[in-house]
Amino acid sequence: DHLMQQTNFSKKELQILYRGFKSECPSGAVNEETFKNIYSQFFPQGGQSDSLCLSEGSSSVCFSSLLFSTFVRNVYFVFSADSSMYAHFLFEAFDTKNNGSISFEDFVMGLSIILRGSITDKLNWAFNLYDLNKDGCITKEEMTDIMRSIYDMMGKYTYPCMKDSAPKEHADNFFRKMDKNNDGVVTIEEFLETCQKDENIMQSMHMFDNVI
């Protein structure tokens, strides 16, 4: 009942999610190493960036790439990819208590925002993901690190081919759009304002609306 009040999931949906979570994490909590191992299953030697689902059999891991398609769309993974750094950033976004583990409550609270939250809720969650040191603003270095982790996750052999300079170019483009007062950081207000005016980002916010 508590989680039904705190999330946008029904009792039945929570039961399905809990069974999936417990099957992957019998202890009831996920540490970062386990999280990375689970997450890496979605980025093997080939795949598609938008092939996400949330079914009874895989419901503990399919929250994977909410904003992946926001900046890198229609790209196919080929050969080996390293998802460990992006998984690290995701883990920190879900680990809201900063205790080194993700409980079922942590998981469904975050998942509820990603799947059922308002646009503002989803954008706030995304901002928190990008704000690596959680100081309330995004620096160009933080955005470059995020973009590099996405590039690593995709692998260096992609179609269309991405240059080594792609992560920095994406970060520079991000700041040109969002750093309205050119002070070198992006605040939550700048982030929300820019995202809400960007048609592609707004479309990506709805990509999981009918997952479950």
Side-chain angles (χ1 to χ4, degrees):
D1 291 344
H2 165 70
L3 288 179
M4 286 177 59
Q5 294 174 357
Q6 296 295 315
T7 69
N8 295 312
F9 295 127
S10 68
K11 183 175 182 179
K12 182 178 180 180
E13 289 169 337
L14 287 168
Q15 290 172 339
I16 292 172
L17 289 167
Y18 184 73
R19 286 198 295 270
F21 188 87
K22 285 290 285 185
S23 71
E24 295 282 357
C25 317
S27 68
V30 188
N31 61 27
E32 184 169 347
E33 182 179 359
T34 302
F35 184 89
K36 287 181 177 180
N37 290 336
I38 294 172
Y39 189 81
S40 67
Q41 296 172 19
F42 283 81
F43 297 92
Q45 294 185 351
Q48 188 173 344
S49 64
D50 58 359
S51 58
L52 298 178
C53 63
L54 187 62
S55 61
E56 186 167 348
S58 60
S59 56
S60 63
V61 287
C62 284
F63 52 78
S64 52
S65 298
L66 168 65
L67 291 182
F68 188 80
S69 297
T70 301
F71 296 97
V72 187
R73 303 179 67 88
N74 301 320
V75 180
Y76 288 81
F77 308 123
V78 293
F79 303 107
S80 61
D82 181 5
S83 63
S84 60
M85 186 53 68
Y86 191 70
H88 166 72
F89 296 145
L90 267 182
F91 180 86
E92 291 197 332
F94 274 91
D95 180 20
T96 56
K97 300 183 181 69
N98 298 313
N99 60 4
S101 67
I102 299 173
S103 66
F104 177 69
E105 181 174 350
D106 296 331
F107 167 65
V108 292
M109 293 288 283
L111 196 65
S112 175
I113 294 172
I114 295 170
L115 298 183
R116 303 280 176 82
S118 67
I119 293 296
T120 301
D121 288 340
K122 291 177 181 179
L123 290 174
N124 273 288
W125 193 92
F127 183 89
N128 182 63
L129 170 66
Y130 291 163
D131 179 15
L132 300 181
N133 66 359
K134 313 306 178 194
D135 67 348
C137 60
I138 302 171
T139 65
K140 189 173 289 189
E141 290 75 17
E142 287 174 322
M143 182 51 57
T144 301
D145 286 345
I146 286 283
M147 290 302 168
R148 186 173 293 114
S149 74
I150 293 174
Y151 180 66
D152 290 343
M153 182 170 61
M154 293 168 59
K156 293 190 176 182
Y157 301 96
T158 61
Y159 182 82
C161 181
M162 292 185 67
K163 299 181 292 185
D164 289 341
S165 59
K168 184 178 184 303
E169 290 172 0
H170 277 295
D172 290 343
N173 184 52
F174 176 94
F175 265 77
R176 277 194 296 271
K177 288 182 177 180
M178 298 206 175
D179 185 12
K180 301 296 187 183
N181 60 359
N182 297 309
D183 64 351
V185 298
V186 172
T187 64
I188 183 61
E189 291 80 13
E190 291 172 322
F191 185 81
L192 290 174
E193 179 184 353
T194 307
C195 288
Q196 288 167 348
K197 293 178 180 178
D198 189 299
E199 184 178 345
N200 287 332
I201 294 177
M202 287 299 95
Q203 288 178 353
S204 76
M205 292 294 102
H206 295 290
M207 65 185 294
F208 291 156
D209 283 356
N210 298 309
V211 170
I212 58 174

